[in-house]
Amino acid sequence: MGNNGKPTVGIFGFTGCAGCQLNILNLEDHLLDIISLVDITSWVMAKAENDDGPWDVAFVEGSIAKSTDIERLKKIREKSGVLVAIGACATHGGLPALRNLADTDEWKKEVYGDDYERIDAIDIKPVSHYVKVDYSLPGCPMDKAEFVEAVKALLIGKTPYIPQYSVCGECKAKENVCLLKEGKFCMGPVVQAGCDALCPTYGAACEGCRGPAPEANWAAEVEILKKIGATSEDVKRKFLKYCPSVADMEEFKELEF
Amino acid sequence: MSPPYVMKRTDIKKLVEAASNEYDVFGPVKKRSKHVFGKIDNPDNLVMDYDSTILSPRKYFQPQNEVMMSFDLEENKVEDTLDELRAMRPRLLMAVHSCDLNGILHLDRVFGGEYTDKYYFARREKTTIVGINCLDSCEYGFCRSMNTHHVVEGYDLFLTPISGDRYYVQVGTAKGEHLVHMARDIFQEAGPEDFGAFKAALKHKNESLPHEVDVEGINEYLDLSFHHEFWDKMAEDCVNCGACAMVCPTCYCYDVVDDLDLSLTSADRTRKWDACLFQEFALVAGGHNFRESPAARFKYRFYHKMRGFAHDQGILGCTGCGRCTAACPSDISIKDVLKELSGIWEVAPTAQGGK
Amino acid sequence: MVQLQIKKENVYVPDLAKLIKKRKMTEWETLFTFEFVEGRMKDLFTYKPGQFVQLSMFGIGEAPFSISSSPTKRGYLELGIRKTGDVTNKIHELEVGDVVGIRGPYGNGFPTESLKGRDILFVAGGIGLVPLRSLINYVIDNRDDFGEVTIFYGTRSPDLLLFKDELAAWEALDDIDLHVTVDAGDDDWKGNVGVVTTLFKKKKFKTENLSAVVCGPPIVYKFVVKELLDIGVGKDQILLSLERKMKCGVGKCAHCQIGHKLTCIDGPVFTLFQVEQMQEAI
Amino acid sequence: MTESIDIKHIARVEGHGSLYVTTKDKELVDVKMAVDEGARLFEAFLRGREYTEVPEMACRICAICSASHRVASTKAVEKAMGIKVDQQVVDLRRLLVWGEYIESHILHALYLALPDYVGHESVISAAADFPEVVKIALKLKKLGNDMQILTGGREVHQVSTAVGGFTSYPTHQTLDEIKERINEARADLQKCLDVWATLEEPDFERKTTYVSIKRDDEYALVDGDLITSEGHRVPVEKYKEIIGEDQPAYSFAKSGVHDGHGFFVGALPRLNNNTDQLSPFAKKALSQLGIKLPSYNTFHNNAAQLIETAQVFDMAIDTIDALLKSDLEWHEFETVPKAGFGTHITEAPRGSLVHSYEFGDDGLLKKADIIAPTTMNYLNMEEDVRALYPSIADLPRPELELMLNRLIRAYDPCISCSCHVAEVK
Ligand SMILES: Cc1cc2nc3c(=O)[nH]c(=O)nc-3n(C[C@H](O)[C@H](O)[C@H](O)COP(=O)(O)OP(=O)(O)OC[C@H]3O[C@@H](n4cnc5c(N)ncnc54)[C@H](O)[C@@H]3O)c2cc1C
Ligand code: SF4
Ligand code: SF4
Ligand code: SF4
C-alpha cells in the first residue's frame, strides 16, 4: 500500500513498441477512475517522478531482449506482490523473439552492419521463463478491456479471468462470416480467445497474436489450413509469428506439418 | 380460428413499414456472402428468401450477454432488469424458418417449467414472429429427418410462398391477427383457388425435401455407444471451439459472471453463452474436471442434443438446421456423425456400450 | 413435512442474509450461520436435508452449498464451506454482520419419508459430512422414526475432521454408532487409521432393512459403493449425493448435466440404480 | 571541473533513451544521445515474409504511430507490386491517419509536454490542478482513437487495413456520428489552445534544416515529395539524397545527417515547410499562439502539434464528406504479388517515416529499409543541446536537467520506434 492507503502500481516497459503501455493511456474512459483507486508510483512513459518500489502490482511489458533486462526484471519481481505480464512480447516473446529461430548474428549484421557484435541481443524467452508471473494478459497489443478486468479483479481479490477456449467460439457468438470458409488463413480455431474475435469481426483473419488456446488441437488446424491450400511452411511460419516461444512447447515439437 | 389470407410477396415491404410504427423489426439481412438476422431499418434490406442464418433466432430470446441484475455493494441492494425488459419496444421477427420455430419451442420448454426464466419469457412475449415455409432444402439442413420441416405452433403468422408471387398466410395467434390489421389492405382472405395453390406448394415441398438421416432409435444408439472408440476417432478433428454450440438454435448453456464497476461499489450479474465443448465447462474448484478430455466433451454435445432432451421432453434436441455443420472449422458434419453412429450400432451392439 | 413454496417473481434474485456466527473448523473449512434479513423469510424458507442453496458474494459470484443445519432447527441456516476459489475465499473473509445473498433451497434432498423405519448407514468422506450432518441431526431429532443408525466418517488426517464437538456428542449417544477414521494419524490420534472403507470390517450389518447414504469426493463413491454392494445393500437403497459444476441451480444453465439428468433439479441425491443409468456419473 | 550530466531514462517519452552531457567549467565538451532499447531486428525478420504480412508486422515497430507505419508500409508494398486502390480506400487511409494525428498530438502535447509548462511531474498529478484540461485532453484523445477504430478496427496496430484495401468499411451512420463529434470537439480543442496561449515558451532559437514531405495541392501528411527547408525537393524514391544515416561510435542509434549536420522532422518542420497550405482552423490557432513562421525554436514543436491538430480537424471533415458521398459498400479485393521495389514516405505525427522494400516474384520480402523519424532527429537533438547549453549553464542543476529534458521531449521522440537503434554492450 502507498502512503495514501491505495495499492501501489508500477508499470514497466522492456523492449517493444510500447503499445501495451499506450493501451493503458488509451483507456480514456477509465483512466481517472484507475488513478483514483491505485497509486501509480512508477511509470517512466507517463511520469517524471518514479520511485523504486515496492509495488503491490507490477505490470511488465516488452521482450527481455538484452542481458541487462534480466537483472532489471528480477529486481522488479523481488519488489512486487503480484506481477502481471502484459502483451505478446512479455507472454510469448513477441515478434522480436523470431530471432530465436534464426541466425541472430546474421540478422544483427543485416540491420546494424559490420559492427554488429556490439549489439546485445539474447534469445528471447517469455517473462515467465525468468521470474514467476502471476497473471498473463496476452495479445499484440494486450486487450484494453482485459487490462481493466484484471485491475478490478486484483483490487477486489478475485482471479483475473481469460476465457479458456479458442477465438472461433467468440467469433461465432459475434455472428461473423467465417473467413476460413472463405478460404482465408485464419488461426481462430487454435488461438486463445479473449479479444472478442476482433480481427474476424473486422473481416481480417486471426493472426494468432494471443498465442495458443489451452488444449489447442494444432494437428486439426494444420489439416484445416492445408485444405485451403496453405503449405507446411506457411503454417509453421504463421503459428510462430507473434508467439515464437510456442516453438519450445512439446506439443508443437511433436506436430507434423 | 382466423381465416387464412393471401398477400403479394412484394407487399412484405408495406407490412414492415406499417409494423415499424409499433415494432422494432428484425429479419434476415445479407452479411458478406451469408445471411444473419439483423435490424431492419430499411425494408429493402430484408431478405425473405434465404438459405440459413449464421446464428439462430435464439439470440433474440437469450442474448449472448445479458445483464440479469445489478448489485449495490455498499447498500447491499439487488435490482433485477426485468422491468427494463418489459418496457422494451415490441419486436417483430420476420421470416423465421420452420426448423427455427421448432428451435424456439424447444427453448420455451427449457426456460419454462417449475423455475420459469422470466428474462426469456419477457423477451418472448415482446416478440411477434412471422414464420416462413421452406419449400426447398437448404445447403446443410436436414429438417425432414428431424421432423421439424413443419410447424403447428410457435408462429404468429406463417407464410408459404405460393404461385403468383404471393404468400399464403396462416394466422397462429392474436398477435398475428393484430399484425394483419396493421396493414389490413395488403391481405386478402384466401379463396378456394388459393387453397389449391397452397396445397401445390406443400406438395412441392414434400417432394423436394429429402429424408437423409434415420434417427429412429438414436437414444439407444447413444447409450449403447457411449464408450465406443468411435467417439475418440470422430473427436480427433474437433478443436473444441464451441462454434457448433454457439450457432445451434437449441443450445442454451450459459455461464454467469459478476462484472464489477471500476469504482468497485457496484456490479452487474451477467450471463453469457457458454458451450459444453469448453475445457472449463465441467471443471470444479479443486481442479476436478468431470469431462476431462476434449473427446468426452465432443461426445457429450451429441449426447445432450439427441438424448438429453428426450429425457424430460420426449423429443430430440436437434432441429436439423445444419448450422453446426456450416460453422465447424473442421467440417465435422452432424449428419455424418449420426449416420456413422447408426452404422456402429448395426455392427457392434453390446450391453456394455460396445468397444 | 410440507414443503412451502416461496413464490418469487424472479428465481435468480437472491434474498439478503446476514452472517450471525462463524466457527472455524479446520484450516480450510468454516461453519457459517446465516439468518435472512427479511423477517418473513424465516418462516417461508423451509428445506429438506440434502438440499442446497446458491450463495452470492456480490461482485464476486455465486456458488452452491449444501445446507448443513437440520430443518428441525428453524430460523437460521448453517453452511460448512471449504476455501477453494474466488467465491469461497471471499466467504471466508466475511465478518459477523456482513450481508450476502441466498436463494433456494434447491435440489431434491434426501427422501426422509421413505427412509422412515429403516436402518441407516451414513458414509461420509471429508467435506461430505457437511450435507450428511443435516440428515444426521434430522434423524437424531426424530429418532423414533428410524431404525439403527451407524455413521462412518473418514478424513485424511485428524486436523481435517469437521464438527469435532458434534462428533463427540454423537459418540455419547447410545443409539448412534459412530466410527471415525483417518488416512494417516498423528501423535495424538488414538482412533482408527485407514481409509473409510476399512470401517466396514468393524461392523456386521443386517442389510434387508438397511439404507446407505453416501457423500464424499468422487473417489469415495467408487470404493464405498463396492463395499455396500458386497454386503448386500440394494441399489435403490444406496443414496449418493453428487457434486457438479453449477451456475443457476434451477436446471437452466446445463453445467451440472450428468448424462441425461440435471444434478440441480433431478438430484443432487440419486440412488445407485439411477446413477448407473446416467452416463459418466461416477 | 569536469561534470557529467546524465539523464538516464528520459521520462514521458515512448521508449527508453538517455542523454549524457559532459561539461568542463560550464563549457560543454560532449553530448551523447544514447538508446537503452534492446534490438528487435525488424528489418531482418521481415525478410522472407509474405507481402500481405509485412505491413501488419511492420506497424508493430511502434504503437504510437502504428497507423503511419501501417499506411507507409502498405503503400510501399503496393508501389512495389503496382497494386492500385480506389478512392474510398485512399480516403479511409487518410481518415485513419487523421485519427492518429489527433490521438498522438494530444497525447504528446497535453499529457507528456504540458506538465513541464505548468510545473507538474505528470499528467496524473496535473489532473488535480487542471481537471478540465485533463478531461478535455482525454476526450480529444478518445476522438482520435475512435477515428482509428472506425477505420482500422483498433487504435493500436490496426486490423482491417490490408494491402489492396480494407477488410471492412465503416457505415454512413458511423461516419456521420464521428463527423459530428469532430465538429463538436472544435470547441474543446479551442479551449486547449486558449490554455496553451497563456503558457510561456522557453526562449531558444537555432536554425537547422527542416525536412518533410510536400504537395502543391494540400498540407502534405500521407503522400508527397520529400523536401528540405532549403528548397531541395525529390520524389520519395530518392530519399537517400536528403536523408543520410550516420552511425556514431558510441551508439547504435543511427542518426539522420544532411549535408554533414543534423536535420529536424516533425510538426514544426512541417509547419515551416507548408505554411501556405494551412487550413482556416490551423491558421487561427497559429495566430492565437503567436508563433511566427518559419520558427527556429524547437520548443515550438509542442505548440505546432496543437496547430496541426486543428489542421487535421479540417482535413478530416473534408475526407469524411468525400466518403459520405461514396457508396461504402465493402467488396472483396484480390492482390497479385510481383517482384519490385517500392518506397513510401508518410509523415508520422513525429516526423517523416520511410519504408522502402524489395520483393521477389514470390511476393516474399527480400530487403527492407525503414527509417523512423526519431532516428532522423538524434543528431539534431545533440546539436540543439550544444546550442541551448550556454544559456542554461548557470541554472541550478535540477532546473538545468529539466530544461534538457524538455528540449528532448519537445521532439516527441519515440525511441522504441527508431528501429535502427539499440543499446550497445
Ligand atoms: C450441490 C452442491 C453442494 C455443495 N455443497 C458444498 C458445501 O456444503 N460446502 C463446500 O465447501 N462446497 C460445497 N460445494 C462445492 C462448492 O460449490 C464449490 O466449492 C464452490 O462452487 C467453489 O466456488 P469458488 O468460486 O470458490 O471456486 P472457483 O474455482 O473460483 O469456481 C468458480 C465458479 O465455478 C462454479 N464451481 C466451481 N466448483 C464447483 C463445484 N464443486 N460445484 C459447483 N459449482 C462449482 C461455481 O459457480 C463457482 O463460483 C457444493 C457443490 C454442489 C454442486
Ligand atoms: S473466422 Fe476464424 S475465428 Fe471466426 S469462426 Fe472462422 S476460423 Fe474461427
Ligand atoms: S445440432 Fe446442429 S443441426 Fe441440430 S439444431 Fe443444433 S445446429 Fe442445427
Ligand atoms: S464447431 Fe466443430 S471443431 Fe468446433 S467444437 Fe464444434 S465440432 Fe468441434
Side-chain angles (χ1 to χ4, degrees):
Chain A
M1 293 285 162
N3 33 23
N4 48 14
K6 294 191 241 171
T8 51
V9 168
I11 300 171
F12 306 94
F14 284 82
T15 298
C17 74
C20 300
Q21 295 186 69
L22 180 65
N23 250 353
I24 301 175
L25 286 168
N26 282 343
L27 288 164
E28 292 95 1
D29 293 338
H30 302 301
L31 207 53
L32 295 176
D33 289 330
I34 293 179
I35 292 170
S36 72
L37 289 171
V38 302
D39 196 0
I40 303 179
T41 57
S42 194
W43 189 5
V44 174
M45 179 162 159
K47 284 160 55 75
E49 284 165 21
N50 296 297
D51 78 10
D52 231 10
W55 303 279
D56 292 309
V57 184
F59 291 97
V60 173
E61 172 210 74
S63 314
I64 308 305
K66 53 189 165 70
S67 38
T68 49
D69 286 350
I70 302 171
E71 261 334 284
R72 188 174 150 232
L73 174 66
K74 287 187 172 156
K75 283 223 176 74
I76 294 170
R77 172 72 266 190
E78 273 166 29
K79 294 181 172 181
S80 307
V82 169
L83 187 143
V84 186
I86 57 175
C89 294
T91 60
H92 295 86
L95 287 178
L98 283 169
R99 65 172 175 242
N100 302 357
L101 316 167
D103 174 356
T104 308
D105 279 348
E106 192 272 324
W107 282 24
K108 279 160 55 174
K109 205 165 164 182
E110 166 74 14
V111 180
Y112 295 100
D114 290 336
D115 209 9
Y116 70 90
E117 275 172 13
R118 288 164 58 214
I119 298 280
D120 177 4
I122 57 173
D123 263 15
I124 296 174
K125 304 283 175 203
V127 165
S128 60
H129 177 83
Y130 298 107
V131 297
K132 174 168 172 266
V133 169
D134 298 289
Y135 303 107
S136 290
L137 302 178
C140 182
M142 71 156 186
D143 190 83
K144 286 196 312 187
E146 271 183 356
F147 176 79
V148 175
E149 277 314 305
V151 168
K152 289 192 287 194
L154 292 170
L155 283 171
I156 196 114
K158 58 177 180 181
T159 322
Y161 181 72
I162 297 211
Q164 300 296 302
Y165 46 86
S166 70
V167 175
C168 294
E170 288 182 329
C171 186
K172 274 289 141 303
K174 295 202 89 174
E175 200 159 18
N176 295 323
V177 175
C178 179
L179 299 166
L180 257 182
K181 304 269 173 180
E182 288 185 352
K184 304 202 169 77
F185 193 114
C186 187
M187 310 242 308
V190 288
V191 170
Q192 171 69 58
C195 55
D196 218 7
L198 181 81
C199 294
T201 303
Y202 279 91
C206 169
E207 296 285 345
C209 77
R210 294 172 57 84
E215 293 187 340
N217 188 345
W218 281 326
E221 171 77 345
V222 171
E223 285 312 306
I224 296 169
L225 292 170
K226 281 193 176 159
K227 259 194 269 174
I228 60 162
T231 64
S232 309
E233 271 313 300
D234 294 337
V235 179
K236 212 183 291 178
R237 202 178 64 227
K238 291 240 191 177
F239 269 30
L240 295 173
K241 182 155 55 172
Y242 291 103
C243 300
S245 67
V246 164
D248 295 333
M249 292 175 68
E250 283 312 314
E251 301 98 292
F252 189 83
K253 287 184 198 152
E254 286 161 14
L255 200 57
E256 278 174 41
F257 285 96
Chain B
M1 193 161 139
S2 282
Y5 299 95
V6 288
M7 69 180 285
K8 285 201 287 212
R9 290 192 208 172
T10 46
D11 279 347
I12 278 294
K13 259 172 87 166
K14 288 192 192 149
L15 180 65
V16 170
E17 267 158 16
S20 297
N21 297 320
E22 192 173 313
Y23 305 90
D24 282 344
V25 184
F26 299 86
V29 294
K30 228 172 142 52
K31 182 164 186 178
R32 292 170 81 109
S33 56
K34 304 271 182 252
H35 290 98
V36 298
F37 280 101
K39 184 129 191 290
I40 310 289
D41 289 320
N42 172 359
D44 287 335
N45 296 341
L46 174 67
V47 184
M48 295 296 286
D49 183 13
Y50 66 102
D51 183 271
S52 177
T53 51
I54 299 177
L55 291 183
S56 76
R58 165 197 177 200
K59 64 178 181 179
Y60 291 118
F61 306 108
Q62 188 204 4
Q64 288 90 330
N65 292 288
E66 175 172 48
V67 177
M68 305 172 80
M69 62 194 87
S70 333
F71 306 122
D72 180 329
L73 271 52
E74 287 175 334
E75 303 285 320
N76 284 318
K77 276 212 284 265
V78 185
E79 207 165 321
D80 73 11
T81 52
L82 283 179
D83 287 343
E84 264 166 66
L85 261 187
R86 288 173 181 148
M88 170 175 92
R89 210 162 174 248
R91 300 184 304 191
L92 175 62
L93 190 52
M94 295 294 296
V96 180
H97 287 164
S98 309
C99 58
D100 285 343
L101 290 169
N102 276 297
I104 295 169
L105 291 175
H106 275 50
L107 295 182
D108 286 354
R109 294 183 198 101
V110 168
F111 287 110
E114 189 189 346
Y115 299 105
T116 296
D117 188 296
K118 292 277 166 45
Y119 301 93
Y120 175 86
F121 285 102
R123 288 198 154 81
R124 191 76 170 82
E125 275 148 30
K126 278 283 173 180
T127 312
T128 298
I129 301 178
V130 176
I132 190 161
N133 218 336
C134 306
L135 303 185
D136 294 289
S137 62
C138 59
E139 189 177 356
Y140 294 102
F142 52 106
C143 53
R144 175 91 183 236
S145 315
M146 304 309 294
N147 205 25
T148 57
H149 56 307
H150 60 83
V151 276
V152 287
E153 55 170 349
Y155 58 80
D156 299 296
L157 287 187
F158 193 65
L159 312 179
T160 303
I162 56 170
S163 59
D165 274 336
R166 295 169 311 153
Y167 291 120
Y168 183 85
V169 185
Q170 289 162 276
V171 183
T173 64
K175 274 186 189 171
E177 191 66 55
H178 177 70
L179 188 60
V180 168
H181 282 284
M182 296 190 74
R184 185 61 188 83
D185 50 332
I186 64 171
F187 295 93
Q188 285 89 49
E189 283 197 16
E193 283 149 54
D194 303 324
F195 191 66
F198 177 53
K199 262 175 70 179
L202 294 188
K203 183 161 176 281
H204 171 87
K205 172 175 174 173
N206 200 27
E207 283 159 5
S208 81
L209 287 188
H211 188 105
E212 295 174 88
V213 207
D214 189 2
V215 289
E216 201 61 45
I218 186 80
N219 274 275
E220 286 79 4
Y221 299 169
L222 277 164
D223 275 325
L224 290 167
S225 73
F226 201 82
H227 301 285
H228 198 285
E229 63 202 7
F230 156 82
W231 291 109
D232 295 325
K233 221 174 75 235
M234 287 308 290
E236 268 172 20
D237 292 338
C238 173
V239 298
N240 280 78
C241 67
C244 48
M246 297 294 162
V247 299
C248 178
T250 66
C251 276
Y252 56 84
C253 318
Y254 62 81
D255 193 8
V256 183
V257 288
D258 281 10
D259 289 327
L260 279 162
D261 174 85
L262 237 185
S263 66
L264 309 182
T265 56
S266 65
D268 285 343
R269 180 160 290 170
T270 307
R271 61 175 169 191
K272 43 182 211 158
W273 289 4
D274 204 345
C276 55
L277 287 309
F278 297 159
Q279 187 184 28
E280 291 189 320
F281 189 81
L283 176 74
V284 295
H288 186 79
N289 196 336
F290 287 96
R291 272 177 228 111
E292 179 90 62
S293 74
R297 304 198 284 274
F298 174 84
K299 168 171 68 181
Y300 175 74
R301 178 165 184 275
F302 288 94
Y303 189 84
H304 187 209
K305 208 88 305 203
M306 299 291 170
R307 178 77 171 87
F309 285 73
H311 150 64
D312 49 14
Q313 289 151 16
I315 47 166
L316 300 182
C318 169
T319 69
C321 74
R323 284 191 179 87
C324 51
T325 308
C328 178
S330 261
D331 292 331
I332 296 173
S333 151
I334 183 165
K335 278 191 270 187
D336 293 349
V337 173
L338 294 175
K339 280 182 199 158
E340 294 207 23
L341 189 62
S342 49
I344 60 165
W345 157 251
E346 275 154 28
V347 176
T350 77
Q352 271 65 51
K355 170 65 251 282
Chain C
M1 190 177 43
V2 194
Q3 177 88 4
L4 266 178
Q5 186 71 38
I6 306 172
K7 275 276 169 251
K8 264 213 306 190
E9 231 293 268
N10 185 342
V11 290
Y12 302 112
V13 172
D15 288 293
L16 300 182
K18 196 190 280 182
L19 181 67
I20 55 171
K21 208 156 94 195
K22 187 176 172 185
R23 199 174 96 209
K24 194 169 163 165
M25 298 194 287
T26 73
E27 200 189 334
W28 305 105
E29 285 103 0
T30 298
L31 186 69
F32 297 87
T33 312
F34 292 99
E35 172 184 274
F36 282 104
V37 171
E38 223 188 304
R40 71 184 186 106
M41 284 300 294
K42 285 186 191 143
D43 298 322
L44 278 177
F45 193 95
T46 56
Y47 60 91
K48 281 166 66 175
Q51 286 194 296
F52 65 93
V53 293
Q54 284 280 0
L55 187 149
S56 279
M57 292 303 295
F58 302 132
I60 308 290
E62 208 179 25
F65 300 101
S66 308
I67 304 172
S68 191
S69 44
S70 158
T72 45
K73 306 280 190 297
R74 301 296 294 268
Y76 62 86
L77 279 184
E78 285 173 340
L79 308 178
I81 297 177
R82 170 181 291 180
K83 219 184 332 189
T84 73
D86 284 351
V87 173
T88 48
N89 286 343
K90 270 285 162 198
I91 294 176
H92 279 250
E93 287 171 20
L94 288 174
E95 281 166 26
V96 169
D98 286 348
V99 171
V100 301
I102 288 183
R103 58 188 179 92
Y106 299 127
N108 55 0
F110 295 109
T112 42
E113 288 306 309
S114 57
L115 285 173
K116 278 195 180 149
R118 296 189 62 87
D119 299 338
I120 307 180
L121 165 63
F122 292 95
V123 186
I127 195 171
L129 186 60
V130 170
L132 290 198
R133 170 178 175 257
S134 175
L135 183 59
I136 293 171
N137 282 330
Y138 177 87
V139 167
I140 291 174
D141 291 344
N142 297 285
R143 191 63 192 87
D144 295 345
D145 289 348
F146 300 90
E148 247 183 63
V149 172
T150 312
I151 304 171
F152 286 176
Y153 174 43
T155 60
R156 269 181 289 130
S157 56
D159 55 319
L160 295 179
L161 286 171
L162 302 173
F163 305 106
K164 287 199 188 81
D165 315 351
E166 240 152 312
L167 291 177
W170 296 342
E171 179 79 72
L173 294 174
D174 306 337
D175 50 4
I176 302 276
D177 184 15
L178 173 70
H179 297 264
V180 178
T181 182
V182 297
D183 296 358
D186 59 18
D187 295 346
D188 299 332
W189 182 251
K190 306 220 166 43
N192 296 306
V193 174
V195 294
V196 75
T197 42
T198 56
L199 293 175
F200 280 89
K201 290 193 206 86
K202 300 248 158 205
K203 185 161 179 170
K204 286 265 174 292
F205 290 94
K206 287 204 292 296
T207 51
E208 58 272 23
N209 193 36
L210 183 67
S211 295
V213 185
V214 186
C215 189
I219 181 89
V220 163
Y221 294 110
K222 264 203 191 106
F223 295 103
V224 171
V225 161
K226 193 175 163 297
E227 294 288 340
L228 290 170
L229 290 176
D230 282 354
I231 62 170
V233 188
K235 282 185 181 175
D236 57 344
Q237 289 305 334
I238 299 177
L239 299 167
L240 309 172
S241 178
L242 300 186
E243 184 189 359
R244 282 297 184 277
K245 174 121 152 195
M246 262 176 214
K247 286 290 169 185
C248 72
V250 293
K252 308 295 186 214
C253 79
H255 281 88
C256 69
Q257 189 109 16
I258 307 177
H260 57 281
K261 298 243 178 188
L262 289 159
T263 315
C264 63
I265 53 177
D266 299 323
V269 179
F270 295 100
T271 65
L272 178 62
F273 189 84
Q274 286 174 310
V275 163
E276 285 184 348
Q277 301 299 304
M278 287 148 56
Q279 301 288 5
E280 55 175 32
I282 51 174
Chain D
M1 184 186 71
T2 308
E3 231 188 316
S4 45
I5 307 168
D6 296 349
I7 304 179
K8 290 228 175 206
H9 297 295
I10 303 160
R12 286 193 267 123
V13 299
E14 294 99 14
H16 310 280
S18 302
L19 176 69
Y20 300 104
V21 178
T22 318
T23 60
K24 188 159 196 268
D25 304 330
K26 307 240 163 186
E27 293 272 327
L28 191 136
V29 184
D30 195 18
V31 188
K32 287 176 188 167
M33 263 305 291
V35 168
D36 312 315
E37 285 287 330
R40 290 184 294 165
L41 309 175
F42 262 88
E43 287 151 314
F45 68 66
L46 285 175
R47 289 174 309 171
R49 289 280 164 181
E50 248 171 71
Y51 70 106
T52 47
E53 284 179 284
V54 169
E56 167 215 315
M57 295 171 78
C59 83
R60 261 86 181 171
I61 289 173
C62 171
I64 292 92
C65 31
S66 58
S68 289
H69 276 282
R70 190 68 173 249
V71 169
S73 174
T74 308
K75 286 186 164 234
V77 173
E78 286 169 354
K79 283 180 182 172
M81 315 218 157
I83 295 165
K84 296 271 172 293
V85 298
D86 59 27
Q87 190 58 37
Q88 277 184 132
V89 172
V90 171
D91 286 336
L92 282 171
R93 284 184 187 156
R94 284 159 63 93
L95 192 54
L96 167 64
V97 172
W98 309 153
E100 178 192 65
Y101 264 78
I102 296 173
E103 191 279 329
S104 175
H105 278 355
I106 294 294
L107 171 68
H108 177 253
L110 301 181
Y111 281 44
L112 305 181
L114 181 73
D116 290 329
Y117 287 81
V118 295
H120 272 276
E121 66 90 26
S122 73
V123 71
I124 301 172
S125 69
D129 287 352
F130 300 88
E132 221 216 340
V133 183
V134 171
K135 279 204 185 108
I136 290 177
L138 284 168
K139 207 170 135 197
L140 289 172
K141 190 169 158 326
K142 186 174 163 69
L143 172 66
N145 274 338
D146 286 349
M147 289 164 68
Q148 296 185 78
I149 293 170
L150 184 70
T151 45
R154 182 163 58 192
E155 61 277 66
V156 176
H157 307 329
Q158 287 71 39
V159 299
S160 59
T161 122
V163 173
F166 281 78
T167 55
S168 78
Y169 284 178
T171 61
H172 286 95
Q173 192 197 337
T174 50
L175 279 171
D176 268 329
E177 284 164 13
I178 209 90
K179 180 178 167 186
E180 199 167 309
R181 280 176 61 192
I182 296 171
N183 278 329
E184 279 169 16
R186 284 172 188 273
D188 290 327
L189 181 57
Q190 187 55 53
K191 280 191 205 134
C192 299
L193 290 163
D194 295 345
V195 170
W196 201 278
T198 67
L199 305 179
E200 203 184 320
E201 294 284 2
D203 191 17
F204 171 70
E205 208 162 84
R206 184 181 76 88
K207 203 167 171 203
T208 181
T209 299
Y210 296 88
V211 172
S212 71
I213 58 170
K214 173 90 187 165
R215 293 171 70 96
D216 297 328
D217 55 348
E218 69 167 19
Y219 192 89
L221 292 174
V222 178
D223 280 291
D225 294 333
L226 195 62
I227 190 175
T228 69
S229 46
E230 288 96 33
H232 187 177
R233 179 166 175 161
V234 296
V236 292
E237 287 74 17
K238 299 195 173 158
Y239 66 94
K240 287 191 175 153
E241 280 184 21
I242 289 178
I243 301 170
E245 277 189 296
D246 178 38
Q247 192 163 290
Y250 56 82
S251 166
F252 261 98
K254 287 189 187 171
S255 303
V257 280
H258 176 74
D259 277 353
H261 60 80
F263 61 92
F264 185 5
V265 295
L268 187 62
R270 285 191 294 260
L271 278 190
N272 281 343
N273 287 354
N274 301 291
T275 315
D276 43 342
Q277 286 151 329
L278 287 176
S279 73
F281 193 11
K283 274 190 192 136
K284 187 166 161 266
L286 179 71
S287 77
Q288 185 185 6
L289 298 189
I291 293 173
K292 298 267 169 316
L293 293 181
S295 156
Y296 303 116
N297 181 348
T298 304
F299 291 96
H300 281 166
N301 198 44
N302 299 321
Q305 292 192 331
L306 286 182
I307 295 164
E308 273 195 341
T309 309
Q311 171 79 25
V312 163
F313 267 46
D314 285 336
M315 292 173 88
I317 296 294
D318 291 345
T319 310
I320 292 174
D321 283 339
L323 280 167
L324 282 171
K325 283 197 202 98
S326 70
D327 60 5
L328 287 175
E329 282 219 8
W330 183 83
H331 50 85
E332 190 79 63
F333 51 92
E334 228 175 294
T335 53
V336 186
K338 190 169 106 190
F341 294 88
T343 299
H344 191 82
I345 300 185
T346 284
E347 284 294 326
R350 47 196 57 65
S352 313
L353 166 64
V354 182
H355 280 251
S356 183
Y357 302 138
E358 181 190 352
F359 285 96
D361 48 17
D362 48 5
L364 303 185
L365 185 88
K366 283 173 101 161
K367 194 155 181 60
D369 187 24
I370 303 169
I371 313 175
T374 302
T375 320
M376 301 190 207
N377 280 336
Y378 282 126
L379 193 53
N380 209 63
M381 288 180 198
E382 292 177 356
E383 289 169 2
D384 265 359
V385 171
R386 286 174 195 278
L388 176 69
Y389 182 77
S391 67
I392 58 171
D394 292 328
L395 289 177
R397 183 67 177 259
E399 279 160 54
L400 188 152
E401 284 188 14
L402 178 66
M403 280 311 286
L404 291 174
N405 258 307
R406 288 182 65 179
L407 177 67
I408 302 300
R409 264 203 287 279
Y411 281 86
D412 187 4
C414 180
I415 296 157
S416 54
C417 170
S418 355
C419 63
H420 282 179
V421 306
E423 185 179 330
V424 286
K425 274 190 209 164

